[in-house]
Amino acid sequence: MTSAKWFERAQKVIPGGVNSPVRAFNGVGGTPVYFKSGKGVNVQTEDGTELIDFCGSWGPLILGHARDEIVDVVAKTAADGLTFGANTAAEAEFAELITTLIPEMDMVRLVSSGTEAVMSAIRLARGYTGRRKIIKFDGCYHGHSDYLLVAAGSGLLTGGTTSSAGVSPAATEEVYVVPYNDLEKVQDVLKADGENIAAVIVEPIAGNMGLVEPEPGFLEGLREATAACGTLLIFDEVINGFRLAPTTFGHTIGIEADITTLGKIIGGGMPIGALGGSTEIMSALAPLGPVYQAGTLSGNPVAVAAGMKTLELLRDESPYLKIEILGKKLADGINAIAEEKELDLHCAQRGGMFTPFFRKEAVRNLDDSKACDQKAHAAYFHHMLNHGFYTPPSGFEVAFVSAAHTEEHINAFLEAFSKL
Ligand SMILES: Cc1ncc(COP(=O)(O)O)c(C=O)c1O
Ligand SMILES: NCC(=O)CCC(=O)O
């Protein structure tokens, strides 16, 4: 049965036919593709076609689909029990590995998604500081917990709004929203109300309004300004973590956040999230401290096994230079073709993350990203799809090059792109 037929069936029993709005193709039009199987960079669809995947399940698949070593350990672990709701040796080993690879984390708590990790990090920051308010950045997305569904990126942006119905105004009234890369504004807010602000949360490299890099001094400035008034700095590294090196982005640039959240890559394709920080801050979590945080499936043995194997492979194989070279080749190629054909676009790229922005000028915040031509993005998306390449179905996302991609895949992508 075709994707179109499956979508028709699904829409009757699943709201919008999807289990996450970003999959609905609302930003690009047309019918979502139904995936059947994946290996390496290739996915097979219900339409009988094969696609080369540059979405990578929105980020977890830095080693590609169904890497043998990960699938093997998942199968073996699953055969020994899917969940216990009790402690396992593997979760202790996994926490040891994470805290070794991420020196700013003395302790880490595992949860089941990035959303949960961030939701818990915010509660922890409030509980630890005894303050209520937070600062977030316009266009950053931190999952779908109430406090953070304001001025949010990702699927909300794609849907044409940046907030959600059903969120109590009381929740969002406690959130200051500041443009990304606007350090002065953050300093002003902290100066005026710092003693009531529990945390500043930021995606150190933003990935939910397309790829937007922090300008020199921005993250350093956040570190300084928060430290000066006892406000915690939270780096949401759900996308960034283990993306550019086998550690956090914060660690690679020498900036220690007070709390770091992780997800995606650290589960190797299984549902997981994590939050970590110093012993002092993490000790505020129950059962040591007063901040409650829990989960039936937290530290799930199958997810932990997949995550452990993924981090070990990343540590031991270090595919990062290869991914960076391929990512740069892709972005340089797109930019050269755009120049030659006088297309109004440029490609932002960092390591394996890239976003073709459909305007020539640089994008440094949400307003810039919103000024890009979304119709042109939709045309690009469908053109690439028709040529056998799957990229995120929205102009407000990042696409991913993985360790499973090769130069041939990049050349083929550029060849197809040149026909745009
Ligand atoms: C930076 C960031 N934080 C949090 C989340 C939420 O993670 P999840 O979708 O696993 O709940 C995402 C992605 O969706 C994200 O990109
Ligand atoms: N960059 C945005 C996401 O990764 C979101 C995935 C989802 O909500 O399904």
PDB file of all heavy atoms in Angstrom, residues 89-121:
ATOM      1  N   ALA A  89      22.953  -2.577  36.505  1.00  0.00           N
ATOM      2  CA  ALA A  89      24.377  -2.239  36.447  1.00  0.00           C
ATOM      3  C   ALA A  89      24.650  -1.357  35.227  1.00  0.00           C
ATOM      4  O   ALA A  89      25.465  -0.425  35.274  1.00  0.00           O
ATOM      5  CB  ALA A  89      25.211  -3.518  36.372  1.00  0.00           C
ATOM      6  N   ALA A  90      23.929  -1.650  34.132  1.00  0.00           N
ATOM      7  CA  ALA A  90      24.198  -0.945  32.874  1.00  0.00           C
ATOM      8  C   ALA A  90      23.937   0.559  33.003  1.00  0.00           C
ATOM      9  O   ALA A  90      24.660   1.372  32.428  1.00  0.00           O
ATOM     10  CB  ALA A  90      23.345  -1.536  31.754  1.00  0.00           C
ATOM     11  N   GLU A  91      22.900   0.942  33.772  1.00  0.00           N
ATOM     12  CA  GLU A  91      22.610   2.384  33.869  1.00  0.00           C
ATOM     13  C   GLU A  91      23.707   3.106  34.672  1.00  0.00           C
ATOM     14  O   GLU A  91      24.030   4.254  34.396  1.00  0.00           O
ATOM     15  CB  GLU A  91      21.223   2.651  34.459  1.00  0.00           C
ATOM     16  CG  GLU A  91      21.122   2.317  35.935  1.00  0.00           C
ATOM     17  CD  GLU A  91      19.705   2.396  36.502  1.00  0.00           C
ATOM     18  OE1 GLU A  91      18.792   2.876  35.824  1.00  0.00           O
ATOM     19  OE2 GLU A  91      19.541   1.938  37.648  1.00  0.00           O
ATOM     20  N   ALA A  92      24.277   2.402  35.639  1.00  0.00           N
ATOM     21  CA  ALA A  92      25.379   3.001  36.402  1.00  0.00           C
ATOM     22  C   ALA A  92      26.598   3.169  35.488  1.00  0.00           C
ATOM     23  O   ALA A  92      27.267   4.216  35.497  1.00  0.00           O
ATOM     24  CB  ALA A  92      25.729   2.133  37.610  1.00  0.00           C
ATOM     25  N   GLU A  93      26.851   2.143  34.666  1.00  0.00           N
ATOM     26  CA  GLU A  93      27.994   2.230  33.733  1.00  0.00           C
ATOM     27  C   GLU A  93      27.776   3.337  32.695  1.00  0.00           C
ATOM     28  O   GLU A  93      28.705   4.042  32.319  1.00  0.00           O
ATOM     29  CB  GLU A  93      28.190   0.890  33.021  1.00  0.00           C
ATOM     30  CG  GLU A  93      28.823  -0.150  33.916  1.00  0.00           C
ATOM     31  CD  GLU A  93      28.966  -1.500  33.233  1.00  0.00           C
ATOM     32  OE1 GLU A  93      28.264  -1.768  32.234  1.00  0.00           O
ATOM     33  OE2 GLU A  93      29.778  -2.300  33.717  1.00  0.00           O
ATOM     34  N   PHE A  94      26.536   3.448  32.258  1.00  0.00           N
ATOM     35  CA  PHE A  94      26.212   4.484  31.265  1.00  0.00           C
ATOM     36  C   PHE A  94      26.422   5.884  31.866  1.00  0.00           C
ATOM     37  O   PHE A  94      27.008   6.763  31.244  1.00  0.00           O
ATOM     38  CB  PHE A  94      24.758   4.300  30.811  1.00  0.00           C
ATOM     39  CG  PHE A  94      24.363   5.130  29.612  1.00  0.00           C
ATOM     40  CD1 PHE A  94      25.181   5.236  28.495  1.00  0.00           C
ATOM     41  CD2 PHE A  94      23.127   5.786  29.577  1.00  0.00           C
ATOM     42  CE1 PHE A  94      24.799   5.987  27.393  1.00  0.00           C
ATOM     43  CE2 PHE A  94      22.738   6.533  28.475  1.00  0.00           C
ATOM     44  CZ  PHE A  94      23.574   6.638  27.380  1.00  0.00           C
ATOM     45  N   ALA A  95      25.960   6.061  33.101  1.00  0.00           N
ATOM     46  CA  ALA A  95      26.143   7.355  33.780  1.00  0.00           C
ATOM     47  C   ALA A  95      27.633   7.630  33.995  1.00  0.00           C
ATOM     48  O   ALA A  95      28.095   8.773  33.873  1.00  0.00           O
ATOM     49  CB  ALA A  95      25.390   7.371  35.105  1.00  0.00           C
ATOM     50  N   GLU A  96      28.396   6.575  34.289  1.00  0.00           N
ATOM     51  CA  GLU A  96      29.851   6.746  34.443  1.00  0.00           C
ATOM     52  C   GLU A  96      30.476   7.204  33.129  1.00  0.00           C
ATOM     53  O   GLU A  96      31.318   8.109  33.104  1.00  0.00           O
ATOM     54  CB  GLU A  96      30.500   5.430  34.899  1.00  0.00           C
ATOM     55  CG  GLU A  96      30.326   5.164  36.389  1.00  0.00           C
ATOM     56  CD  GLU A  96      30.710   3.737  36.800  1.00  0.00           C
ATOM     57  OE1 GLU A  96      31.143   2.945  35.933  1.00  0.00           O
ATOM     58  OE2 GLU A  96      30.561   3.420  37.992  1.00  0.00           O
ATOM     59  N   LEU A  97      30.041   6.583  32.029  1.00  0.00           N
ATOM     60  CA  LEU A  97      30.608   6.955  30.731  1.00  0.00           C
ATOM     61  C   LEU A  97      30.249   8.407  30.379  1.00  0.00           C
ATOM     62  O   LEU A  97      31.112   9.190  29.971  1.00  0.00           O
ATOM     63  CB  LEU A  97      30.099   6.011  29.630  1.00  0.00           C
ATOM     64  CG  LEU A  97      30.602   6.324  28.218  1.00  0.00           C
ATOM     65  CD1 LEU A  97      32.129   6.189  28.131  1.00  0.00           C
ATOM     66  CD2 LEU A  97      29.934   5.425  27.172  1.00  0.00           C
ATOM     67  N   ILE A  98      28.977   8.761  30.573  1.00  0.00           N
ATOM     68  CA  ILE A  98      28.552  10.136  30.246  1.00  0.00           C
ATOM     69  C   ILE A  98      29.326  11.157  31.088  1.00  0.00           C
ATOM     70  O   ILE A  98      29.833  12.154  30.561  1.00  0.00           O
ATOM     71  CB  ILE A  98      27.026  10.307  30.453  1.00  0.00           C
ATOM     72  CG1 ILE A  98      26.255   9.500  29.407  1.00  0.00           C
ATOM     73  CG2 ILE A  98      26.620  11.784  30.379  1.00  0.00           C
ATOM     74  CD1 ILE A  98      24.747   9.521  29.572  1.00  0.00           C
ATOM     75  N   THR A  99      29.447  10.890  32.381  1.00  0.00           N
ATOM     76  CA  THR A  99      30.122  11.881  33.235  1.00  0.00           C
ATOM     77  C   THR A  99      31.633  11.901  32.986  1.00  0.00           C
ATOM     78  O   THR A  99      32.296  12.896  33.274  1.00  0.00           O
ATOM     79  CB  THR A  99      29.837  11.629  34.734  1.00  0.00           C
ATOM     80  OG1 THR A  99      30.160  10.274  35.054  1.00  0.00           O
ATOM     81  CG2 THR A  99      28.387  11.899  35.068  1.00  0.00           C
ATOM     82  N   THR A 100      32.166  10.832  32.426  1.00  0.00           N
ATOM     83  CA  THR A 100      33.584  10.844  32.032  1.00  0.00           C
ATOM     84  C   THR A 100      33.769  11.670  30.764  1.00  0.00           C
ATOM     85  O   THR A 100      34.704  12.468  30.657  1.00  0.00           O
ATOM     86  CB  THR A 100      34.094   9.405  31.768  1.00  0.00           C
ATOM     87  OG1 THR A 100      33.880   8.652  32.953  1.00  0.00           O
ATOM     88  CG2 THR A 100      35.570   9.381  31.419  1.00  0.00           C
ATOM     89  N   LEU A 101      32.872  11.484  29.809  1.00  0.00           N
ATOM     90  CA  LEU A 101      32.997  12.199  28.536  1.00  0.00           C
ATOM     91  C   LEU A 101      32.616  13.673  28.673  1.00  0.00           C
ATOM     92  O   LEU A 101      33.042  14.517  27.885  1.00  0.00           O
ATOM     93  CB  LEU A 101      32.114  11.531  27.463  1.00  0.00           C
ATOM     94  CG  LEU A 101      32.545  10.115  27.045  1.00  0.00           C
ATOM     95  CD1 LEU A 101      31.505   9.470  26.127  1.00  0.00           C
ATOM     96  CD2 LEU A 101      33.913  10.125  26.364  1.00  0.00           C
ATOM     97  N   ILE A 102      31.780  13.957  29.677  1.00  0.00           N
ATOM     98  CA  ILE A 102      31.331  15.345  29.898  1.00  0.00           C
ATOM     99  C   ILE A 102      31.785  15.783  31.294  1.00  0.00           C
ATOM    100  O   ILE A 102      31.064  15.612  32.282  1.00  0.00           O
ATOM    101  CB  ILE A 102      29.790  15.442  29.780  1.00  0.00           C
ATOM    102  CG1 ILE A 102      29.323  14.873  28.437  1.00  0.00           C
ATOM    103  CG2 ILE A 102      29.327  16.888  29.960  1.00  0.00           C
ATOM    104  CD1 ILE A 102      27.819  14.847  28.251  1.00  0.00           C
ATOM    105  N   PRO A 103      32.983  16.353  31.390  1.00  0.00           N
ATOM    106  CA  PRO A 103      33.543  16.645  32.717  1.00  0.00           C
ATOM    107  C   PRO A 103      32.702  17.613  33.546  1.00  0.00           C
ATOM    108  O   PRO A 103      32.770  17.564  34.779  1.00  0.00           O
ATOM    109  CB  PRO A 103      34.911  17.252  32.392  1.00  0.00           C
ATOM    110  CG  PRO A 103      35.227  16.807  31.016  1.00  0.00           C
ATOM    111  CD  PRO A 103      33.926  16.659  30.303  1.00  0.00           C
ATOM    112  N   GLU A 104      31.891  18.473  32.898  1.00  0.00           N
ATOM    113  CA  GLU A 104      31.086  19.406  33.703  1.00  0.00           C
ATOM    114  C   GLU A 104      29.907  18.703  34.385  1.00  0.00           C
ATOM    115  O   GLU A 104      29.200  19.301  35.178  1.00  0.00           O
ATOM    116  CB  GLU A 104      30.604  20.595  32.870  1.00  0.00           C
ATOM    117  CG  GLU A 104      29.591  20.290  31.774  1.00  0.00           C
ATOM    118  CD  GLU A 104      30.220  20.094  30.406  1.00  0.00           C
ATOM    119  OE1 GLU A 104      31.381  19.623  30.335  1.00  0.00           O
ATOM    120  OE2 GLU A 104      29.559  20.398  29.389  1.00  0.00           O
ATOM    121  N   MET A 105      29.700  17.449  34.063  1.00  0.00           N
ATOM    122  CA  MET A 105      28.648  16.685  34.746  1.00  0.00           C
ATOM    123  C   MET A 105      29.280  15.761  35.786  1.00  0.00           C
ATOM    124  O   MET A 105      30.000  14.828  35.440  1.00  0.00           O
ATOM    125  CB  MET A 105      27.885  15.799  33.752  1.00  0.00           C
ATOM    126  CG  MET A 105      26.912  16.528  32.866  1.00  0.00           C
ATOM    127  SD  MET A 105      25.924  15.299  31.957  1.00  0.00           S
ATOM    128  CE  MET A 105      25.040  16.380  30.833  1.00  0.00           C
ATOM    129  N   ASP A 106      28.981  16.019  37.061  1.00  0.00           N
ATOM    130  CA  ASP A 106      29.366  15.043  38.091  1.00  0.00           C
ATOM    131  C   ASP A 106      28.324  13.937  38.148  1.00  0.00           C
ATOM    132  O   ASP A 106      28.620  12.794  38.478  1.00  0.00           O
ATOM    133  CB  ASP A 106      29.419  15.699  39.479  1.00  0.00           C
ATOM    134  CG  ASP A 106      30.437  16.815  39.556  1.00  0.00           C
ATOM    135  OD1 ASP A 106      31.449  16.731  38.829  1.00  0.00           O
ATOM    136  OD2 ASP A 106      30.209  17.776  40.322  1.00  0.00           O
ATOM    137  N   MET A 107      27.101  14.334  37.892  1.00  0.00           N
ATOM    138  CA  MET A 107      25.978  13.402  37.994  1.00  0.00           C
ATOM    139  C   MET A 107      25.025  13.610  36.840  1.00  0.00           C
ATOM    140  O   MET A 107      24.901  14.725  36.322  1.00  0.00           O
ATOM    141  CB  MET A 107      25.194  13.644  39.295  1.00  0.00           C
ATOM    142  CG  MET A 107      25.905  13.220  40.534  1.00  0.00           C
ATOM    143  SD  MET A 107      24.793  13.469  41.940  1.00  0.00           S
ATOM    144  CE  MET A 107      25.663  12.495  43.156  1.00  0.00           C
ATOM    145  N   VAL A 108      24.325  12.534  36.476  1.00  0.00           N
ATOM    146  CA  VAL A 108      23.364  12.613  35.380  1.00  0.00           C
ATOM    147  C   VAL A 108      22.121  11.815  35.754  1.00  0.00           C
ATOM    148  O   VAL A 108      22.213  10.766  36.398  1.00  0.00           O
ATOM    149  CB  VAL A 108      24.026  12.116  34.067  1.00  0.00           C
ATOM    150  CG1 VAL A 108      24.473  10.665  34.170  1.00  0.00           C
ATOM    151  CG2 VAL A 108      23.122  12.303  32.866  1.00  0.00           C
ATOM    152  N   ARG A 109      20.954  12.335  35.401  1.00  0.00           N
ATOM    153  CA  ARG A 109      19.686  11.610  35.619  1.00  0.00           C
ATOM    154  C   ARG A 109      19.104  11.289  34.254  1.00  0.00           C
ATOM    155  O   ARG A 109      18.999  12.169  33.397  1.00  0.00           O
ATOM    156  CB  ARG A 109      18.745  12.495  36.441  1.00  0.00           C
ATOM    157  CG  ARG A 109      17.300  12.064  36.617  1.00  0.00           C
ATOM    158  CD  ARG A 109      17.029  10.809  37.437  1.00  0.00           C
ATOM    159  NE  ARG A 109      17.463  10.676  38.800  1.00  0.00           N
ATOM    160  CZ  ARG A 109      16.793  11.075  39.884  1.00  0.00           C
ATOM    161  NH1 ARG A 109      15.649  11.713  39.772  1.00  0.00           N
ATOM    162  NH2 ARG A 109      17.253  10.830  41.085  1.00  0.00           N
ATOM    163  N   LEU A 110      18.724  10.029  34.040  1.00  0.00           N
ATOM    164  CA  LEU A 110      18.169   9.616  32.753  1.00  0.00           C
ATOM    165  C   LEU A 110      16.651   9.739  32.745  1.00  0.00           C
ATOM    166  O   LEU A 110      15.988   9.416  33.735  1.00  0.00           O
ATOM    167  CB  LEU A 110      18.552   8.160  32.452  1.00  0.00           C
ATOM    168  CG  LEU A 110      20.036   7.871  32.311  1.00  0.00           C
ATOM    169  CD1 LEU A 110      20.263   6.381  32.037  1.00  0.00           C
ATOM    170  CD2 LEU A 110      20.655   8.704  31.179  1.00  0.00           C
ATOM    171  N   VAL A 111      16.120  10.188  31.616  1.00  0.00           N
ATOM    172  CA  VAL A 111      14.677  10.277  31.401  1.00  0.00           C
ATOM    173  C   VAL A 111      14.388   9.673  30.023  1.00  0.00           C
ATOM    174  O   VAL A 111      15.261   9.017  29.459  1.00  0.00           O
ATOM    175  CB  VAL A 111      14.192  11.748  31.506  1.00  0.00           C
ATOM    176  CG1 VAL A 111      14.387  12.284  32.906  1.00  0.00           C
ATOM    177  CG2 VAL A 111      14.919  12.648  30.501  1.00  0.00           C
ATOM    178  N   SER A 112      13.188   9.873  29.504  1.00  0.00           N
ATOM    179  CA  SER A 112      12.834   9.161  28.264  1.00  0.00           C
ATOM    180  C   SER A 112      12.730  10.024  27.014  1.00  0.00           C
ATOM    181  O   SER A 112      12.448   9.511  25.935  1.00  0.00           O
ATOM    182  CB  SER A 112      11.517   8.405  28.469  1.00  0.00           C
ATOM    183  OG  SER A 112      11.677   7.436  29.482  1.00  0.00           O
ATOM    184  N   SER A 113      12.922  11.338  27.140  1.00  0.00           N
ATOM    185  CA  SER A 113      12.897  12.201  25.947  1.00  0.00           C
ATOM    186  C   SER A 113      13.615  13.516  26.255  1.00  0.00           C
ATOM    187  O   SER A 113      13.864  13.844  27.430  1.00  0.00           O
ATOM    188  CB  SER A 113      11.443  12.515  25.533  1.00  0.00           C
ATOM    189  OG  SER A 113      10.838  13.360  26.495  1.00  0.00           O
ATOM    190  N   GLY A 114      13.890  14.263  25.198  1.00  0.00           N
ATOM    191  CA  GLY A 114      14.487  15.582  25.380  1.00  0.00           C
ATOM    192  C   GLY A 114      13.540  16.517  26.124  1.00  0.00           C
ATOM    193  O   GLY A 114      13.969  17.318  26.961  1.00  0.00           O
ATOM    194  N   THR A 115      12.264  16.417  25.813  1.00  0.00           N
ATOM    195  CA  THR A 115      11.261  17.249  26.488  1.00  0.00           C
ATOM    196  C   THR A 115      11.316  17.057  27.994  1.00  0.00           C
ATOM    197  O   THR A 115      11.343  18.026  28.763  1.00  0.00           O
ATOM    198  CB  THR A 115       9.843  16.888  25.983  1.00  0.00           C
ATOM    199  OG1 THR A 115       9.745  17.209  24.598  1.00  0.00           O
ATOM    200  CG2 THR A 115       8.761  17.632  26.759  1.00  0.00           C
ATOM    201  N   GLU A 116      11.333  15.791  28.404  1.00  0.00           N
ATOM    202  CA  GLU A 116      11.383  15.490  29.838  1.00  0.00           C
ATOM    203  C   GLU A 116      12.664  16.011  30.472  1.00  0.00           C
ATOM    204  O   GLU A 116      12.658  16.487  31.615  1.00  0.00           O
ATOM    205  CB  GLU A 116      11.374  13.972  30.032  1.00  0.00           C
ATOM    206  CG  GLU A 116      10.046  13.367  30.360  1.00  0.00           C
ATOM    207  CD  GLU A 116      10.254  11.905  30.694  1.00  0.00           C
ATOM    208  OE1 GLU A 116      10.564  11.584  31.852  1.00  0.00           O
ATOM    209  OE2 GLU A 116      10.133  11.078  29.763  1.00  0.00           O
ATOM    210  N   ALA A 117      13.763  15.899  29.742  1.00  0.00           N
ATOM    211  CA  ALA A 117      15.048  16.359  30.278  1.00  0.00           C
ATOM    212  C   ALA A 117      14.988  17.849  30.568  1.00  0.00           C
ATOM    213  O   ALA A 117      15.375  18.315  31.651  1.00  0.00           O
ATOM    214  CB  ALA A 117      16.175  16.054  29.283  1.00  0.00           C
ATOM    215  N   VAL A 118      14.453  18.621  29.604  1.00  0.00           N
ATOM    216  CA  VAL A 118      14.411  20.067  29.771  1.00  0.00           C
ATOM    217  C   VAL A 118      13.390  20.464  30.834  1.00  0.00           C
ATOM    218  O   VAL A 118      13.648  21.332  31.674  1.00  0.00           O
ATOM    219  CB  VAL A 118      14.103  20.757  28.425  1.00  0.00           C
ATOM    220  CG1 VAL A 118      13.950  22.243  28.631  1.00  0.00           C
ATOM    221  CG2 VAL A 118      15.196  20.466  27.407  1.00  0.00           C
ATOM    222  N   MET A 119      12.233  19.814  30.807  1.00  0.00           N
ATOM    223  CA  MET A 119      11.202  20.106  31.813  1.00  0.00           C
ATOM    224  C   MET A 119      11.771  19.905  33.221  1.00  0.00           C
ATOM    225  O   MET A 119      11.563  20.730  34.121  1.00  0.00           O
ATOM    226  CB  MET A 119      10.017  19.159  31.577  1.00  0.00           C
ATOM    227  CG  MET A 119       8.894  19.265  32.555  1.00  0.00           C
ATOM    228  SD  MET A 119       7.641  17.985  32.219  1.00  0.00           S
ATOM    229  CE  MET A 119       8.394  16.579  33.025  1.00  0.00           C
ATOM    230  N   SER A 120      12.516  18.838  33.376  1.00  0.00           N
ATOM    231  CA  SER A 120      13.091  18.537  34.695  1.00  0.00           C
ATOM    232  C   SER A 120      14.211  19.518  35.036  1.00  0.00           C
ATOM    233  O   SER A 120      14.377  19.905  36.200  1.00  0.00           O
ATOM    234  CB  SER A 120      13.636  17.104  34.727  1.00  0.00           C
ATOM    235  OG  SER A 120      12.610  16.194  34.417  1.00  0.00           O
ATOM    236  N   ALA A 121      14.969  19.928  34.015  1.00  0.00           N
ATOM    237  CA  ALA A 121      16.064  20.885  34.253  1.00  0.00           C
ATOM    238  C   ALA A 121      15.508  22.217  34.741  1.00  0.00           C
ATOM    239  O   ALA A 121      16.078  22.845  35.637  1.00  0.00           O
ATOM    240  CB  ALA A 121      16.876  21.074  32.974  1.00  0.00           C
TER     241      ALA A 121
END
